[in-house]
Amino acid sequence: MSSTRELPATPAPTASSGIKGKSVRRGDTVFRGLSRIAGIAILLTMSLIALFLVWRSIPSFTVNTANFFTTSEWFPDQTPPVFGIAALAFGTLMTSIIAMILAVPVGIGVALFISHYAHRRMSAILAFSTDLLAAVPSIIFGMWGLEFLTPHMQGLGQWLNDYLGFIPIFRNDLGQYSKSIFIAGVVLAIMILPTISALSREVFTQVPRGNIEASLALGATRWEMVRQAIFPFAKPGMISAAMLGLGRALGETIAVALILSASNSINWHFTEPGGNTFAANIALRWNEAGSTGLSALIASGLVLFIITLVVNVVARGIISRHAEFRGGN
Amino acid sequence: MTISRTSQFAALAMIGALALSACGSDGGGGASGSTIGGQPCVSGEIKASGSSAQKNAMADWINAYQTACTGATINYQANGSGAGVTDFSNGQTAFAGSDSALKDADRPAADARCAKGAAIDIPMVGGAIVLAYNVSGIDKLVLTPDVIAGIFANTITKWNDPAIAAANAGAALPDATIAQFHRSDSSGTTDNFTKFLTATAPSVWTYDKGKDWKAPGGQGAKGSDGVTTSLKSTANSIGYVELSFAQDASLAVASVDNGGGAIEATSANAATTISAATVAGTGNDLALTIDYTTKTGYPIVLVTYEITCEKGLDSAALELTKSFLTYTSSDEGQSKLTENGYVAITGDLLTKVRTSVSAISA
Amino acid sequence: MATVGSGKFERSTSLLQDALAGRRLPRWGVGAVGLTSLLAAYLLNVLTVVDGVAGTFLVAVLLFVIGQTGWSFTVEGRRHAVDRLATTTVYAAFLIAVTPLVAVLGTVLVKGFPVFSAQFFTTSMRNVSPRSEGGGLYHALIGTLEQVGLAALIGVPIGVLAAVYLVEYAPEAKSRRLSSAISFFVDVMTGVPSVVIGLFIYTAFILTLGLPRSGFAASLALAILMLPVIVRTTEEMLRLVPRDLRESSLALGIPRWKTILKVVLPTALGGIITGAMLSIARVAGETAPLLLTTFLSQSINSNPFKGPQAALPTFIWDQFTSGTDASRARAWGGALTLIVLIMILYAGAKVIARLTGAKKS
């Protein structure tokens, strides 16, 4: 170290041989090695996560007497063990889909509002607030959903049943509207909204001014400008924002565990109490799980891990296809 | 230049953190003595985890012990009986709180954790599982096992069902749908409640007993606190929770008639049932078998155990664990339970509990 | 910045349009339609089945959309009608989003503020019964600061170095397989749910290695959760450092690694710190991994490596699930504290970004 410290004082970069040159190279090798190790550490962590989940879930697969993929029940600790992820997969997908349907259009609308509709001073404040809200912890949304939102959703559930009840997903035969997949979806939508809008806003503000001005100069209205100049440019960014939101919704744990009336069955009446998700199931069952139960929960965690992996691969695929159109940067 | 600004910032943050760590204090001090429950204080720190049913009882005991013995710190994490037993078996904790005695499947691992001898179940906290309800105008309600099973199996769906009315002559039962709440997480409360149903109403309750709710219908809520929150915010609702949670939430609770007349859901009535339980364990292991069909006491009860090593607990934890459990099984400790909606262990059983605790040794 | 430019520009173009096309809605048009819709909705509320504040407001919005679009269509033509419809939709989206978010913050503020007191921040929950009032979250605050700080100590260097590798060294490596694998898995890592990371630390460190649960175990989980954000933001910042700066430094004979340490990283420092603080704010409220990896304590423990240690999220969880009025109030107080803490971190990140002139939004 001490020898290299004098280096800037050396007059010319010609000293590529000799002692000093060697230490230069050594310094470079060390630093390069360190940064490489850091990169490899990330790869290693990911493989370790996968490895441990697989290893620890194997015991449950060997004793399960039911089909892991088509069974809804979750009784890994009874003899014989019976458990499967059908209901978990159903609940996870449905809550996430509801969340996406609600949050993506609204999130993109908010992003547009902040980047191109609101006043400049106001938009800075709004941008900061949405960023901030993206970091409000899950447990707080869960407490709020349980104590504040659930009582307020009764009316909407009733209305959906009364006027749209002919569609199965809105029908409610029980007359009870709390603790449903629908409410969980709404809470998830609120949670992922800031993520989606913050990321979309970022790409919207990166749209080259030339594109916007050219569009307006041609006499386009503001909306036409948005469609012609902003959306095509920002499409990959919007998709990745939505996918990140989806990732957060799929894995959301504490909020869903607090809100859902977890029951491991498949019910298409979304406003009725019931439903469960991978992550919430882990939080709810981990406490009382025996050895098989724990292994079964890790197995469900593995499935969730694989699902998020697939979502990311798909998202990357879409983005790289669109990135070509965008013309590189 | 930027570097120096960063280091200034870091230094500032460091100073801030140090200043912060100097200004707090563990609260709730008070006069400190040197004895607790008629025995000398022991200093040190132990960890325990498990049953959330005994969470608030543990909190009160720990507070009392730590107040009397300022050198002791006892940490109890209410992460559930299953996790508690796993923690104990892995050597993470000195004892586990559990809603059920050690299962055959968990026994080898628990015994292996103890350097010498076996792990023992010591019943310490009793509880009454009550049927809490929220129906305006009804402040007294009597239910029979068949009616309870019918409500939770969804064969009785209206409050003015003839079966309910038959046991509650004169009550103005509303013509409303029953909103039934159960636990959505795995729990010992559900385990004991469904054991009661299978024992007393086998013809109506056709579902299995266990830690997980298996009947269709109704609504689930996470934790006893989740059930009471839901009951309070839902009209015409009923659910099963531990007595202490119903009291904390000021909910009305039903009496249960096992065929010998209605028995109120009180701490004293539940204590009758628990003290009549037979010991199924051997030696100092006090695993209990409860008679849910009793006609003399309140029948829906649960007993939570402390599971620890009879011999061979690590020396660092041994003295404090023994001293703490001696305190909890003393008259002083057990009387704290009744104050807070739990059920005390009484009679012969309490004597056996004290014998088991005194047998804990290196 | 682009907003102002386009706004000005747009105003002048619409003036031009006015001159060319003439017919636009009068300036008071929007207000008039809005007022009429509100009145009509109110009448409907009184006279017909429409009821409730939310329902009435919804009808008013619907009437406004129909009225404005219809009027605009007849006066200004289809294109302007669509534009007005889009504007209304964007404003509506904003309102729809703001309502629940304000409700969340409002609820936390209203329920959490009453328990705030000097005692709440300077004492622990030691010897405080769940039923009685009083006690505090000092022990949890210390725990969170230490756990998150430790996580940053582990996560930030690894994340920054990995980003340095991706930006500075990978382009000239013989094979791009390693760098594209790293970059792919960083993306995947962003999506791995926190509960899965918690399960990983639990199975690896606690079940397999038999280590006790501790604040440090939580730090490891949090560090993994922080990594992807740090790598991504640092990468972005490093790419913004002008090539000339690197090249002139190298041309002076300064070795590569010193160029990176003394020229590239300091230039990007503001952005890197911002990214690090944002990632810290993200993980500070994580609950699920902490439940699996820490041992809850009611007493102060300032050593994250040994013994049970509380944290704000687990404090909130514990108090919320105790189910008494006093403990619920403390849980909301903890929630408010956590939000304020995160807000401070965010504001800090913004201030640093501004001071150092980083262009990260």
Side-chain angles (χ1 to χ4, degrees), chain C residues 219-238:
Chain C
S219 302
L220 288 176
L222 297 182
I224 296 177
L225 285 166
M226 287 170 70
L227 267 177
V229 182
I230 295 172
V231 176
R232 276 282 162 269
T233 46
T234 309
E235 218 186 321
E236 230 168 88
M237 287 305 120
L238 292 180

Side-chain angles (χ1 to χ4, degrees), chain A residues 184-319:
Chain A
V186 170
V187 172
L188 285 180
I190 297 170
M191 293 179 69
I192 63 175
L193 210 150
T195 310
I196 294 176
S197 75
L199 290 170
S200 315
R201 190 198 71 235
E202 215 161 281
V203 278
F204 289 165
T205 51
Q206 279 167 15
V207 175
R209 236 170 101 180
N211 296 16
I212 295 170
E213 283 170 6
S215 171
L216 290 172
L218 289 172
T221 61
R222 186 151 54 174
W223 173 241
E224 285 162 345
M225 178 275 288
V226 168
R227 281 187 49 194
Q228 293 163 357
I230 296 182
F231 280 169
F233 180 89
K235 206 168 184 177
M238 281 153 65
I239 293 170
S240 76
M243 285 298 174
L244 259 170
L246 177 62
R248 195 171 175 195
L250 286 171
E252 196 44 66
T253 311
I254 296 293
V256 182
L258 279 172
I259 292 164
L260 265 190
S261 159
S263 67
N264 286 33
S265 58
I266 293 174
N267 181 357
W268 283 98
H269 299 176
F270 289 163
T271 59
E272 290 177 4
N276 205 349
T277 71
F278 283 110
N281 191 54
I282 294 173
L284 291 172
R285 306 264 174 257
W286 174 74
N287 282 353
E288 295 294 335
S291 51
T292 313
L294 195 59
S295 176
L297 290 178
I298 292 172
S300 75
L302 178 67
V303 176
L304 181 58
F305 180 74
I306 293 169
I307 292 176
T308 50
L309 208 98
V310 169
V311 167
N312 267 286
V313 172
V314 171
R316 271 180 82 97
I318 297 173
I319 292 161

Side-chain angles (χ1 to χ4, degrees), chain B residues 2-3 5-6 9 17 20-29 45-49 55-56 59-60 62-64 66-67 69-79 83 86-87 90 92-93 222 225-226 228-229 232 244-245 248-249 340-342, chain C residues 121-131 138-139 141-142 145-146 202 205-207 210-213 261 266-267 269-270 273 277 290-291 294-302 306-308 314 317-325 328 352 355-356:
Chain B
T2 6
I3 294 271
R5 194 181 287 154
T6 324
F9 178 76
L20 193 64
S21 69
C23 73
S25 67
D26 279 323
E45 180 166 5
I46 52 168
K47 291 188 284 182
S49 66
K55 179 181 178 186
N56 289 356
D60 285 338
I62 291 170
N63 293 345
Q66 288 178 162
T67 308
C69 308
T70 42
T73 299
I74 299 151
N75 298 290
Y76 185 80
Q77 184 170 25
N79 55 1
T86 310
D87 281 344
N90 288 334
Q92 299 263 342
T93 52
K222 201 220 146 293
D225 61 301
T228 52
T229 309
K232 281 182 97 166
S244 58
F245 281 93
D248 286 340
N340 293 326
Y342 286 94
Chain C
F121 293 103
T122 54
T123 60
S124 71
M125 284 302 293
R126 188 180 166 96
N127 300 352
V128 180
S129 152
R131 283 183 188 77
Y138 177 78
H139 59 311
L141 200 59
I142 288 288
L145 291 179
E146 288 188 352
Y202 179 71
F205 285 80
I206 288 144
L207 287 186
L211 297 171
R213 282 184 280 169
L261 274 184
T267 313
L269 194 68
I273 294 176
M277 291 185 82
L290 295 198
L291 286 176
T294 60
F295 204 100
L296 185 69
S297 170
Q298 309 290 358
S299 312
I300 298 168
N301 172 14
S302 48
K306 194 169 170 290
T314 46
W317 178 257
D318 178 58
Q319 293 298 320
F320 194 69
T321 52
S322 281
T324 67
D325 289 342
R328 288 251 157 138
I352 290 172
L355 280 180
T356 53

Side-chain angles (χ1 to χ4, degrees), chain B residues 183-355:
Chain B
R183 292 280 293 272
S184 63
D185 50 339
S186 314
S187 72
T189 312
T190 302
D191 192 30
N192 282 281
F193 183 60
T194 49
K195 272 181 188 162
F196 163 77
L197 292 177
T198 33
T200 56
S203 57
V204 187
W205 184 257
T206 50
Y207 308 96
D208 207 359
K209 58 191 178 217
K211 285 180 171 182
D212 296 300
W213 188 252
K214 292 178 185 173
Q219 305 183 49
K222 201 220 146 293
S224 289
D225 61 301
V227 173
T228 52
T229 309
S230 303
L231 290 175
K232 281 182 97 166
S233 62
T234 314
N236 302 315
S237 55
I238 187 166
Y240 62 90
V241 289
E242 288 107 79
L243 177 61
S244 58
F245 281 93
Q247 286 180 346
D248 286 340
S250 335
L251 284 161
V253 298
S255 301
V256 174
D257 185 350
N258 244 0
I263 294 178
E264 268 187 79
T266 61
S267 232
N269 289 340
T272 312
T273 308
I274 291 176
S275 60
T278 48
V279 175
T282 51
N284 285 317
D285 183 73
L286 298 178
L288 298 178
T289 309
I290 294 163
D291 177 18
Y292 294 104
T293 59
T294 175
K295 293 185 172 63
T296 52
Y298 180 79
I300 323 175
V301 294
L302 90 167
V303 175
T304 65
Y305 301 85
E306 314 309 336
I307 297 173
T308 190
C309 295
E310 182 177 6
K311 281 192 168 58
L313 197 63
D314 16 323
S315 54
L318 177 71
E319 289 304 314
L320 184 52
T321 305
K322 186 171 178 179
S323 166
F324 179 64
L325 293 181
T326 307
Y327 161 68
T328 60
S329 58
S330 68
D331 288 336
E332 189 186 331
Q334 288 292 315
S335 70
K336 269 213 175 318
L337 290 177
T338 325
E339 289 166 24
N340 293 326
Y342 286 94
V343 177
I345 312 280
T346 52
D348 283 351
L349 186 58
L350 185 59
T351 316
K352 286 178 191 160
V353 166
R354 287 174 184 161
T355 313

